Amino acid sequence: MTASSTSTASITSTASAASASTAVEPMNLKIPITGVVVFLLQGLMALSARGSTTFRFTVPSDFFQFEDSTLNARLIILIAAGIVAAVTAVALVRAMHRREGAAWVSVLMGVGFVVAFLAWAGAGRNGVIPLVTILSSALGLSVPLVYGALAGIIGERSGTINIAIEGQLLGGAFLGAVVASACSSPWAGLFAAPVAGALVALLLALFGLRYRVNQIVVGVVLNVLVSGLTGFLFSTFLSSSPSLNRALRLPTLAVPILSRIPIIGPVLFRQTILVYLMYVAVAVLSAMLFRSRWGLRLRACGEHPKAADTVGINVMRTRVANLALAGALAGLGGAFFTVGSGLSFDNDMTAGNGYIALAAMILGAWRPLGSLGAALLFGFATSVAQTLPIIGSSVSPDIISMIPYIVTILAVAGFVGKVRAPAAEGVPYP
């Protein structure tokens, strides 16, 4: 009886092991399905496109000029559709072989859709599509999103959910404008903006880490608090003292030689100091987060704080310090809305960019370079929406302005694929 039971158990375990070995994980068809949707949209564009589209690739300060190119809109759309169809087929083959999607596939799909859309939007119009202006504006509009996403990465990698990025951006915009106006220098506002962001972050640390209040609730409350406080100060003190809310702008700093290279020069190397600091912040954080002792300690506090404590890392101090650093970065991003753009402060002028920055962080899988790419996507959509009325397109800019928010919904719904948040984010310790 015992031998029979043993043999039966052995057969059962062998069968289970065999079935487990033959089981395969399901195909991830998200990228191929996206490619099919893009291809169908391009088909609709090709059917409705009439006439030609004119593109402009240079600006007067470039080393040499390219003439404006007038091309058949339908032909451009069909070529872009062919590229999308090819990379969709590649994505399907990779999915059938259970291989991870390649980044270049998604990039080519995005570029193909953008080229087709611009050709369709400008078809038969008298206006010219200024590619350099669109790209340069997209980079500028992505600045607060990048800083906000980096703030989210530092906070959540260390174990703190930083929903208060919106308030940190708004606080930085407010203090940057006031200090710049008081000192008659936009540079003073640039140095003051991170202070406001860090103060909001320290409030989050006080209630969320010290008193263990739900960090999501605290973050939302802080956003409302900063919005109400800055709105009150704007309607009272700033309205009665316009000299404290002047429109001062950081100068545009052109990098010699590099800024005169066609297309990439005006886009990358003719910007304000905020953009150049953004380059540095992304590069430094990408290296430090995964290749330094500081980054290892930060990630340990966000993944397994008890283990970090065991080896002598002060978890609370690490989380508070990094949350303050994150707030300072977000405050610096808030300076873009005032001294970075040459605007005076206005009520709720950040317009939800803090929440979009959180979506960029999730799309980027809590990595600086990935978040940079997601932020550029949002900035590009906004830039195109601002350009459409100028070229006389019949496409409503409001539809294009919806794109960042649609992508945000898809990101938080998990459509972007398997991304894992730090294991101990939002969990108080000790």
Side-chain angles (χ1 to χ4, degrees), residues 139 142-151 153-154 273-291 294 329 332 360 364 366-376:
L139 180 63
S142 69
V143 168
L145 302 179
V146 173
Y147 280 113
L150 294 181
I153 290 171
I154 294 175
I273 188 65
L274 270 174
V275 178
Y276 299 132
L277 289 176
M278 182 187 75
Y279 298 159
V280 175
V282 172
V284 170
L285 187 58
S286 297
M288 295 289 289
L289 195 59
F290 301 102
R291 298 179 181 273
W294 168 80
L329 278 174
L332 188 61
W366 286 267
R367 292 176 174 270
L369 289 177
S371 300
L372 171 65
L376 289 173

Side-chain angles (χ1 to χ4, degrees), residues 374-388:
L376 289 173
L377 169 65
F378 296 145
F380 183 82
T382 305
S383 178
V384 170
Q386 294 175 351
T387 306
L388 288 180

Side-chain angles (χ1 to χ4, degrees), residues 154 283-301 313 318 322 325:
I154 294 175
V284 170
L285 187 58
S286 297
M288 295 289 289
L289 195 59
F290 301 102
R291 298 179 181 273
S292 72
R293 183 181 179 185
W294 168 80
L296 179 61
R297 286 171 172 260
L298 181 147
R299 289 184 289 116
C301 293
I313 299 174
T318 301
N322 284 291
L325 173 61

Side-chain angles (χ1 to χ4, degrees), residues 3 46 67 69 88 92 129 144 199 235 257 321 356:
E67 292 186 0
S69 299
T88 300
L92 181 60
I129 297 181
L199 290 175
S235 61
I257 301 178
I356 301 296

